[in-house]
Amino acid sequence: MASDTPVDAVVLVGGKGTRLRPLTLSAPKPMLPTAGVPFLTHLLARIKAAGITHVVLGTSFKAEVFEEYFGDGSDLGLEIEYVTETEPLGTGGGIRNVLPKLRADNVIVFNGDVLGGMDLRDVLASHTEHEADVTLHLVRVGDPRAFGCVTTDGDGRVADFLEKTQDPPTDQINAGCYVFKREIIEKIPAGRPVSVEREVFPSLLADGRRVFGFVDNSYWRDMGTPEDFVHGSADLVRGVAQSPALDGQRGESLVHPGAGIAPGAVLIGGTVVGRGAEVGAGARLDGAILFDGAVVEAGATVERSIVGFGARIGPRALVRDAVIGDGADIGARCELLRGARVWPGVALPDGGVRFSTDV
Ligand code: GDD
Ligand code: MG
């Protein structure tokens, strides 16, 4: 459909990104640096690669940041427009709110935090073949409880949509990409918060509308938690996940211009070192993400963790499965383990936080 019939793309980017705090206190989740570019760039490049050029961003939280960076989209070969909710309208309300900007009969809608490899032309073709009102991209996951659970019948027609249920009837989940007939969007109530998952999909099913699932098994990850963000970023660096926004070169690490790596530092596991960041002698970075200007001092270890803009990890400190906010200062020999989150600008003295007694 994309190449012959025009399709609009809508990306929902208005969420607060609470599970990625404190990084999302200063930047909205889709703008966090991911393998060298704001995360949203990867999705926009996939949209462009499918031959779609008109993109509307549904913004709310930190709305201005998107337009400041992407402008009219021409650098990416796109035409990007922005529609801002002064009060968040939820996922369904966000889709309804961009209606005045839509031009085509069919609209492909995305959650703005999904790293995926599905060829968008495939879901569009499936939508056309089924003459569907709505087509949902579905994937299978190990633990469906954090997602929208979607059951389908033998023809791929959606039977049930259960958002975040503790008792999932299937491992098939909503992958956060939908094709809508525009007339379905016109029927979403305007001017109030609406959840597409809890309200729009269940009511379309109750009304017997043609809602189909398109299942595929390409790469897929929701980047909404620190674990997933770290994992997805490493997958991009190592080439496990593909992005048309990155050139072909892949390896154990990605070091950006202006970064300084001292001799004897070890960078593995899909580590990313941002612009102007510094890594000291003998430091070990395994699946680490250093935002621009971050510093890891000599002998420190950073594993599967994100180190915010300009933050510093002191000599021989250990940071594992943690999130360090922008400008935080972690003293020498501190240990920050599983799930630790340090707020921006917080300074921990040398040896100030330990999980063991030997120094
Ligand atoms: N414009 C706008 N307004 N966007 C919003 C709003 C809002 O009020 N609330 C959330 N969003 C955006 C977020 O920025 C994100 O890109 C997307 O909508 C989904 O929100 P998340 O907060 O990431 O939802 P989730 O991950 O818990 O669940 C959703 O995604 C799963 C797949 O990743 C649901 O759609 C699930 O059904 C789905 O399985
Ligand atoms: Mg999400």
Side-chain angles (χ1 to χ4, degrees), residues 236-295:
L236 278 169
V237 171
R238 293 185 301 182
V240 177
Q242 305 298 329
S243 167
L246 299 178
D247 59 27
Q249 247 184 326
R250 297 293 203 284
E252 280 298 289
S253 66
L254 177 60
V255 177
H256 285 97
I261 313 292
V266 175
L267 276 58
I268 56 171
T271 286
V272 182
V273 180
R275 291 163 190 82
E278 297 286 338
V279 180
R284 181 184 161 83
L285 272 54
D286 184 351
I289 302 176
L290 307 192
F291 285 1
D292 294 354
V295 175

Side-chain angles (χ1 to χ4, degrees), residues 15 28 36 46 63 90 92 96 99 145 153 155 178 189 226 256 274 294 314:
R46 276 177 70 216
R96 174 63 181 79
L99 180 64
R145 287 175 301 176
D153 69 14
D155 299 327
Y178 328 112
H256 285 97

Side-chain angles (χ1 to χ4, degrees), residues 120-139:
L120 304 179
R121 284 168 290 218
D122 294 344
V123 69
L124 291 166
S126 163
H127 182 71
T128 307
E129 272 160 35
H130 285 115
E131 298 179 356
D133 290 317
V134 182
T135 302
L136 313 186
H137 176 214
L138 307 177
V139 290

Side-chain angles (χ1 to χ4, degrees), residues 30-105:
M31 293 302 287
L32 291 176
T34 317
V37 290
F39 176 75
L40 187 57
T41 314
H42 299 293
L43 176 55
L44 293 173
R46 276 177 70 216
I47 291 172
K48 165 78 180 150
I52 302 166
T53 51
H54 181 227
V55 183
V56 187
L57 298 190
T59 65
S60 178
F61 175 68
K62 296 201 182 292
E64 65 292 347
V65 183
F66 295 94
E67 190 160 4
E68 277 164 21
Y69 186 87
F70 291 108
D72 65 3
S74 51
D75 287 356
L76 293 170
L78 296 169
E79 182 196 347
I80 303 182
E81 297 191 275
Y82 305 84
V83 181
T84 301
E85 300 148 41
T86 35
E87 290 299 319
L89 291 172
T91 47
I95 297 168
R96 174 63 181 79
N97 199 47
V98 307
L99 180 64
K101 298 280 188 199
L102 302 180
R103 304 166 185 163
D105 291 338

